[in-house]
Amino acid sequence: MSSGNDCQSQTLTKPTLGEREAAELVDRVFGLKVSWIRSLPSYDDQNFHVRVSAEGADEYVLKITNSEDSQEPDLIEVQTQAMMFLSAEGFPSATPYLTKDGNIMSLELGGTRPGSKKYMVRLLTYLPGTPVAKITTNAQILYEIGRLAASVDKVLSEKFQHPSLKSLHRGQFIWNLANVPLLDQYIYALGQNKYRAVVEQVIEQFKGKVIPKLRSFRACINHGDLNDHNILVDSSSASLEYRVSGILDFSDMSYGYYVFEVAITIMYMMIESPDPLSVGGHVLAGFESVLPLTAEERGALFLLVSGRFAQSLVIAAHTALLYPENKEYLTITAKSGWKHLMTMFQVGQEAIEKTWFETAQAYTYHAPA
């Protein structure tokens, strides 16, 4: 769900290609004839699921990056190389199909209309599976997702190398969890209601209790957006056990902290859960099976999860003002997100942490195989 460094500069940067234009793009840039194409929902990029006329009827996702982020080719290069690296390391990540010139991406004019903008275009392998948002999660898959979140960040931080890694230092990137205080600029989008007061409370507590502790957290590369639409799963027909079959959307990658990733993952796994307040313990247990948190990192978890709720809800409201035609997708988290954030503050940090930490502790005695 990336969107440049400044939400205010999002003045209609999302691509708006039609299916025929997208199919022509695949032919011109990648040399493949499209036999079937359909649009996929997206935040501020444009994605198409395509099947090409080739042996095996290969399937891909055509990803057309918004015009603002397209101006950062080094960043997109690093994100794409990270996907290739993870795939080589055994993670279910997409890989790019090379352009006719042998490149992993190409800057292309988005249409023939006067004033058309240029967009970075990639063709990525299509990963089969069901988004976590479409299943009823259980303790087993929540634990697996927690373990995945830790494993992805750990291997990227310890082994991934690239000449442009510095591009992941995205100081004012609005989706980096360290930048919750930047929400002050966009909170107007909520109007005047009871929700706004809670978000203001989150921001102030974040400034006072989280920001001063950042230096004590362990730094790493974050995927940054392991939400319930960016993790695909499949299930064994013989049981209710799920396994992760795909990790999508690396456009929010940036330097951050390990505890950021587990907080972001907990928040998104809460969204569709019938028992949202219990989710955190299962995700945390999976994460800590790879990377145990320090006492200070654990102490910040409640406010980090609350901070991600605030980011998602405020930025969605702001972006929906810019793209009213995409409001349904942009505010998908808000349907239950507001309820969960309000409940968190009603129940309180102490009680919720007790639930999370006791659940995670139980796994030390009954860890999954």
Side-chain angles (χ1 to χ4, degrees):
M1 293 185 177
S2 87
S3 181
N5 289 340
D6 184 348
C7 275
Q8 296 286 20
S9 63
Q10 276 184 16
T11 48
L12 304 177
T13 66
K14 182 171 180 171
T16 55
L17 275 71
E19 290 182 355
R20 179 179 293 180
E21 289 176 301
E24 289 171 352
L25 198 61
V26 173
D27 186 5
R28 187 174 79 249
V29 178
F30 300 97
L32 296 173
K33 298 291 183 185
V34 172
S35 60
W36 178 90
I37 185 169
R38 72 177 176 89
S39 179
L40 294 170
S42 60
Y43 204 84
D44 54 6
D45 298 329
Q46 194 175 21
N47 301 324
F48 292 91
H49 180 187
V50 302
R51 187 175 295 134
V52 301
S53 306
E55 281 188 39
D58 292 332
E59 294 181 57
Y60 298 94
V61 171
L62 176 67
K63 189 166 188 68
I64 307 169
T65 301
N66 67 79
S67 61
E68 184 184 335
D69 288 351
S70 290
Q71 296 171 36
E72 300 186 69
D74 285 354
L75 178 61
I76 300 173
E77 163 88 16
V78 169
Q79 292 164 348
T80 311
Q81 292 287 349
M83 293 160 62
M84 297 165 68
F85 166 79
L86 287 171
S87 178
E89 289 286 320
F91 291 85
S93 175
T95 55
Y97 185 92
L98 298 184
T99 69
K100 289 194 288 188
D101 297 330
N103 299 311
I104 62 174
M105 59 187 184
S106 180
L107 190 63
E108 298 292 329
L109 200 61
T112 56
R113 296 179 295 276
S116 292
K117 298 178 179 179
K118 288 189 173 182
Y119 305 105
M120 199 64 78
V121 173
R122 288 170 290 170
L123 193 64
L124 305 174
T125 50
Y126 179 80
L127 299 175
T130 303
V132 170
K134 302 290 186 185
I135 69 167
T136 301
T137 55
N138 55 30
Q140 175 262 332
I141 190 57
L142 292 171
Y143 181 93
E144 293 300 324
I145 289 169
R147 190 161 68 178
L148 172 79
S151 300
V152 166
D153 284 15
K154 188 172 189 289
V155 74
L156 284 174
S157 303
E158 294 179 356
K159 296 176 66 176
F160 179 56
Q161 298 293 328
H162 192 277
S164 298
L165 266 182
K166 62 181 183 298
S167 65
L168 294 177
H169 289 290
R170 305 168 72 179
Q172 299 297 298
F173 180 51
I174 194 66
W175 285 108
N176 189 301
L177 202 43
N179 289 329
V180 164
L182 294 182
L183 295 178
D184 282 336
Q185 304 169 58
Y186 313 111
I187 204 167
Y188 73 90
L190 299 179
Q192 297 291 339
N193 56 42
K194 62 181 179 180
Y195 297 138
R196 178 170 178 155
V198 174
V199 169
E200 288 172 339
Q201 186 180 347
V202 171
I203 295 171
E204 289 311 305
Q205 289 192 27
F206 202 96
K207 289 176 183 176
K209 297 180 180 179
V210 176
I211 296 300
K213 290 184 178 178
L214 289 180
R215 289 178 180 271
S216 69
F217 299 160
R218 289 165 299 165
C220 71
I221 295 172
N222 288 144
H223 173 283
D225 195 16
L226 291 175
N227 69 51
D228 49 344
H229 292 270
N230 285 344
I231 301 173
L232 305 177
V233 297
D234 62 21
S235 63
S236 162
S237 56
S239 70
L240 287 176
E241 288 213 347
Y242 292 99
R243 70 174 187 89
V244 175
S245 62
I247 311 165
L248 307 179
D249 197 352
F250 286 72
S251 58
D252 283 5
M253 267 182 70
S254 66
Y255 275 109
Y257 303 92
Y258 284 116
V259 69
F260 282 8
E261 199 73 84
V262 67
I264 290 166
T265 308
I266 287 171
M267 175 263 168
Y268 284 121
M269 293 307 108
M270 289 175 66
I271 293 299
E272 301 292 343
S273 173
D275 186 15
L277 296 186
S278 73
V279 162
H282 302 293
V283 176
L284 178 61
F287 194 93
E288 290 197 312
S289 72
V290 178
L291 278 164
L293 297 184
T294 66
E296 283 196 304
E297 288 167 342
R298 272 188 161 216
L301 203 50
F302 176 88
L303 280 175
L304 288 169
V305 173
S306 304
R308 185 53 165 208
F309 268 117
Q311 282 182 315
S312 182
L313 296 164
V314 171
I315 297 169
H318 168 77
T319 311
L321 295 178
L322 297 176
Y323 301 106
E325 73 284 356
N326 200 28
K327 183 176 180 179
E328 183 176 354
Y329 181 78
L330 292 169
T331 57
I332 199 165
T333 300
K335 291 174 183 176
S336 54
W338 282 118
K339 181 177 68 176
H340 295 339
L341 180 60
M342 301 293 276
T343 301
M344 283 182 70
F345 271 76
Q346 287 162 3
V347 174
Q349 180 171 349
E350 186 177 345
I352 288 178
E353 284 181 343
K354 186 173 187 290
T355 300
W356 288 351
F357 298 159
E358 286 181 355
T359 300
Q361 178 69 19
Y363 278 86
T364 61
Y365 305 112
H366 306 285

